[in-house]
Amino acid sequence: MSADPTPGPEGSTLSEPVTISKIAEAAGVSVPTVSKVLNGRADVASQTRARVEELIRRHGYRRRRGPGGGRSSMIDLVFHELDSAWAIEVIRGVENVARAEGLSVVLTESGGEQTPREAWVDAVLARQSTAAILVFSDLAPEQRARLAARDIPFVVVDPAGDPGPDMPAVGSANWNGGLAATRHLIELGHRRIGVIGGPRPVLCSKARIDGYTSALDAAGIEVDPALIRYGDFHVESGRDRGRELLRLDDPPTAIFAGSDLQAMGLYEAARELGVRIPEDLSVVGYDDLPVARWVGPPLTTVRQPLTEMAEEATRMALALARGERPANLRLDLATDLVVRRSTAAPAAR
Amino acid sequence: MSADPTPGPEGSTLSEPVTISKIAEAAGVSVPTVSKVLNGRADVASQTRARVEELIRRHGYRRRRGPGGGRSSMIDLVFHELDSAWAIEVIRGVENVARAEGLSVVLTESGGEQTPREAWVDAVLARQSTAAILVFSDLAPEQRARLAARDIPFVVVDPAGDPGPDMPAVGSANWNGGLAATRHLIELGHRRIGVIGGPRPVLCSKARIDGYTSALDAAGIEVDPALIRYGDFHVESGRDRGRELLRLDDPPTAIFAGSDLQAMGLYEAARELGVRIPEDLSVVGYDDLPVARWVGPPLTTVRQPLTEMAEEATRMALALARGERPANLRLDLATDLVVRRSTAAPAAR
């Protein structure tokens, strides 16, 4: 929450507006061609488009807004996949802020890819969206440049990779969450504690596992690499990695499941193998989806404020669209541990 | 699945195209004013707009499509509320079909109202959406007329009220679902069977409760009005109505919970009161959301194919947008009972 001054984009010449005809001249094309590029029309040769966009970007051309604002009243929301209870929490946050501002939300699923397809950028430019919110996905440098050239700001929610300091993003305190989950298990008396992370390269998962190892280190417990497994945040991987952990010769007495959905899979694995929760195995999830309260036993988990994160990202994107410069372009909202009934002291052996 | 011939809209004059200037003349306004109305612009007096729209409707004016189709590549999706795991199943279905057709999905929540606000219709007309999908909500007659006049088809998914035979809609076999759930409990040996419906006026809830009473009738079990309660399909009402039923002097040994979320609330009420599932109480849900598999014990429920319903509705809307007339404008997809571990024979008393 510090108010660091944020540096402006390098090389931008905001004080020196350029006209469309100057860009057309520099690119060696007609004014209507530049207009087509600005309007995201598809009927421009890709080389020509790239040349014009590069000039637009280099000269910091800013579209003049018409009397009605000149922009459509839409905001784009992109998911890399739209397949869990997780997504609805995020959609609700974006929808809350958009509705209050009279904006409609255009929803896109990038079909499991971490980077939206090129056609998505074309569509966003064509509809002149006010801003774009990307969930757990990333833009290719060329896609960023195209949106930036047309003055369409974007904010990433819960970034998968390292978005870099100039990439606006709202996340949550993943490291602290991993630390709190593991510390809770240590305080209950557990010493053999397993963890199931998300996909290896995903930043939020790395941070949660680092929080886990730091808690063990601080308690003087040696980290056993056999107890660290990687899933994909979904139910099935929680079940599969959970089975592996529970079938070890010296199985863990507690597992930090990395996500609530992985915890659901772990519950399934435990049921199959006759392992009782929390008597034989303590489980901590991550997210605090509504389901965490309903399962038996109700799940101890790290609350990640998904709806608030999405609201914050949308507010940030709209501020950028109005030409404001928020004090911070990277925010992590706090996580906290919610203790329910899936964790207990380990049974005496 | 019968191929009944469907009647055309009464009084339409599809074979006799009218021009904008004829409509302007009849309305006593200028041609640009008619254009503004057609484009959904807000800067037209509401009386004028109503008069022009009435003429557009009466004369069956159809916008000529430009060479590129003349329509934006968007489809509108409206929820009356966007607050449960239920919604993501529907969003995924619409998104699946839209993505395959290269369309973007514009998502709106009507803020708990069963009828979207007037501003929503303005926005749909302004962006010239290809079609609109309404989930569990309804349009006012005036709203229907405005969309119809502009040739924007709409389809309702799981209608809340009785949409009438001319209103395209995709639902599920709710009555059969209620029947199957209750019959399953009767076959297990239960005689005191409670039910928690949705809101009283909602059609799908009425149908489920009618299926319940029909199953009791068929088995010669008298219907006890004290065992019929009404919720709102959400967790809290399942918990509250569940508590009431479980605290009766002669409580039911089985409850058909009307929705999976209400079943989750009933699980909570049972836990609070020390009632074991399925030993003391059998529970059947409705929907088969992913959560049904994860709870303890896994929930016996009626599977409602939400994603397929949404896909079917989207396909129907796009067929209507292309000017086709589907053989059936009302479809109910089949429901089926999924037996898991929350139901068992009643304990001997």
Side-chain angles (χ1 to χ4, degrees):
Chain A
M1 292 295 172
S2 69
D4 292 334
T6 46
E10 6 115 62
S12 70
T13 53
L14 298 175
S15 52
E16 212 181 88
V18 226
T19 60
I20 292 189
S21 57
K22 283 207 184 125
I23 287 176
E25 204 186 305
V29 299
S30 69
V31 167
T33 300
V34 176
S35 281
K36 280 184 187 177
V37 173
L38 281 168
N39 292 318
R41 293 261 298 272
D43 53 344
V44 179
S46 62
Q47 276 194 320
T48 308
R49 191 177 68 191
R51 196 162 66 242
V52 171
E53 290 195 328
E54 170 54 22
L55 284 160
I56 291 170
R57 198 192 62 72
R58 202 192 310 155
H59 292 287
Y61 172 80
R62 271 154 201 262
R63 177 191 294 279
R64 259 194 307 261
R65 303 287 158 79
R71 274 266 164 107
S72 81
S73 52
M74 284 182 265
I75 185 162
D76 263 80
L77 170 60
V78 187
F79 282 86
H80 83 295
E81 47 186 4
L82 199 60
D83 64 346
S84 82
W86 201 93
I88 200 75
E89 306 288 314
V90 172
I91 292 173
R92 199 187 311 150
V94 175
E95 184 69 35
N96 285 348
V97 174
R99 191 166 61 245
E101 302 269 337
L103 294 168
S104 300
V105 177
V106 182
L107 187 72
T108 305
E109 189 196 24
S110 61
E113 306 289 320
Q114 285 291 350
T115 306
R117 302 201 181 113
E118 213 45 45
W120 174 78
V121 178
D122 293 340
V124 170
L125 297 182
R127 60 182 163 253
Q128 299 186 34
S129 280
T130 302
I133 309 293
L134 304 162
V135 183
F136 204 68
S137 55
D138 205 351
L139 292 178
E142 207 252 350
Q143 296 177 323
R144 292 192 204 190
R146 291 185 66 198
L147 293 181
R150 232 61 59 74
D151 226 5
I152 296 175
F154 52 88
V155 177
V156 180
V157 176
D158 200 24
D162 186 350
D166 64 328
M167 179 90 150
V170 178
S172 71
N174 287 294
W175 185 86
N176 301 62
L179 185 84
T182 313
R183 197 179 267 169
H184 168 64
L185 293 168
I186 294 168
E187 283 169 1
L188 286 169
H190 294 276
R191 289 297 171 269
R192 268 193 85 65
I193 301 172
V195 65
I196 307 175
R200 263 173 201 270
V202 168
L203 201 68
C204 63
S205 164
K206 272 184 198 289
R208 289 174 202 172
I209 293 183
D210 283 350
Y212 154 89
T213 52
S214 287
L216 294 180
D217 278 349
I221 302 171
E222 205 178 338
V223 174
D224 179 352
L227 297 184
I228 303 180
R229 307 278 160 153
Y230 296 89
D232 63 3
F233 288 140
H234 292 299
V235 178
E236 292 71 20
S237 75
R239 187 195 55 210
D240 297 346
R241 298 295 89 71
R243 272 188 205 135
E244 293 168 13
L245 286 168
L246 294 176
R247 282 176 176 155
L248 289 174
D249 288 336
D250 186 10
T253 61
I255 298 175
F256 168 40
S259 77
D260 286 355
L261 296 177
Q262 287 187 164
M264 299 299 93
L266 179 53
Y267 271 45
E268 213 172 302
R271 263 198 300 270
E272 277 174 20
L273 300 173
V275 172
R276 295 164 306 160
I277 299 170
E279 294 84 349
D280 307 324
L281 179 72
S282 286
V283 176
V284 182
Y286 197 102
D287 286 328
D288 198 21
L289 299 178
V291 65
R293 289 183 288 119
W294 310 332
V295 288
L299 181 67
T300 295
T301 190
V302 177
R303 190 179 114 80
Q304 172 166 238
L306 292 166
T307 301
E308 291 85 344
M309 284 158 64
E311 287 174 350
E312 200 55 61
T314 311
R315 276 193 289 265
M316 189 188 284
L318 294 178
L320 290 166
R322 283 189 301 266
E324 296 167 19
R325 291 198 61 79
N328 291 289
L329 292 177
R330 288 297 317 261
L331 288 180
D332 280 341
L333 302 194
T335 50
D336 56 313
L337 185 74
V338 182
V339 178
R340 295 199 181 94
R341 303 229 302 272
S342 63
T343 45
R349 296 221 172 168
Chain B
M1 293 295 172
S2 69
D4 293 333
T6 45
E10 5 116 61
S12 71
T13 52
L14 298 177
S15 53
E16 212 181 89
V18 228
T19 59
I20 293 188
S21 57
K22 283 206 184 127
I23 287 176
E25 204 185 307
V29 300
S30 68
V31 167
T33 300
V34 176
S35 281
K36 279 184 186 176
V37 173
L38 281 168
N39 291 318
R41 292 262 298 270
D43 53 344
V44 181
S46 62
Q47 276 194 319
T48 308
R49 191 177 66 189
R51 195 161 69 243
V52 172
E53 290 195 328
E54 170 54 23
L55 285 160
I56 290 170
R57 200 191 61 72
R58 202 190 313 153
H59 292 285
Y61 173 80
R62 273 159 197 261
R63 175 193 295 278
R64 260 195 306 260
R65 303 286 159 80
R71 272 255 169 116
S72 82
S73 53
M74 283 182 261
I75 185 161
D76 263 80
L77 171 60
V78 186
F79 282 86
H80 85 296
E81 45 185 7
L82 199 60
D83 65 347
S84 81
W86 200 94
I88 200 76
E89 306 289 315
V90 173
I91 292 172
R92 198 187 313 152
V94 175
E95 183 70 33
N96 286 348
V97 175
R99 191 168 59 245
E101 301 269 339
L103 294 168
S104 300
V105 177
V106 183
L107 186 72
T108 305
E109 189 195 26
S110 61
E113 306 289 319
Q114 284 292 350
T115 307
R117 304 204 179 110
E118 213 46 44
W120 174 78
V121 179
D122 294 340
V124 170
L125 298 181
R127 60 181 160 252
Q128 299 187 37
S129 279
T130 302
I133 309 294
L134 304 162
V135 183
F136 204 66
S137 55
D138 206 352
L139 292 178
E142 207 252 348
Q143 295 177 324
R144 290 192 204 192
R146 291 185 65 197
L147 292 182
R150 232 63 58 75
D151 228 6
I152 297 175
F154 52 90
V155 177
V156 180
V157 176
D158 199 24
D162 186 350
D166 64 328
M167 179 89 150
V170 178
S172 71
N174 287 293
W175 185 87
N176 301 61
L179 185 84
T182 313
R183 197 179 265 168
H184 168 65
L185 294 169
I186 294 169
E187 283 169 1
L188 286 170
H190 293 276
R191 289 298 171 269
R192 269 192 86 63
I193 302 171
V195 66
I196 307 174
R200 263 174 201 270
V202 169
L203 202 68
C204 62
S205 164
K206 271 184 198 291
R208 289 173 203 173
I209 293 183
D210 282 352
Y212 155 88
T213 52
S214 288
L216 294 179
D217 278 350
I221 302 171
E222 205 177 338
V223 174
D224 180 351
L227 297 184
I228 303 179
R229 308 278 160 150
Y230 296 90
D232 63 3
F233 287 138
H234 292 299
V235 177
E236 292 71 20
S237 74
R239 186 194 57 209
D240 297 347
R241 298 295 87 73
R243 272 188 206 137
E244 292 167 16
L245 285 168
L246 295 176
R247 282 176 176 153
L248 289 174
D249 288 339
D250 187 8
T253 61
I255 298 175
F256 168 39
S259 77
D260 286 354
L261 296 178
Q262 286 186 165
M264 297 300 94
L266 179 54
Y267 270 46
E268 211 172 302
R271 263 198 300 271
E272 276 174 23
L273 300 172
V275 173
R276 294 164 306 160
I277 299 169
E279 293 84 350
D280 307 324
L281 179 72
S282 285
V283 176
V284 182
Y286 197 102
D287 286 327
D288 197 21
L289 299 179
V291 65
R293 289 182 288 120
W294 309 330
V295 288
L299 181 68
T300 295
T301 191
V302 177
R303 190 179 112 82
Q304 172 166 236
L306 292 166
T307 301
E308 291 85 344
M309 285 159 63
E311 287 174 348
E312 200 54 62
T314 310
R315 275 192 290 265
M316 188 188 285
L318 294 179
L320 289 166
R322 283 190 300 266
E324 297 166 19
R325 290 197 62 78
N328 291 288
L329 292 177
R330 288 298 317 260
L331 288 181
D332 280 341
L333 301 194
T335 50
D336 57 312
L337 186 73
V338 182
V339 178
R340 295 198 181 97
R341 302 228 304 270
S342 64
T343 46
R349 294 216 178 178

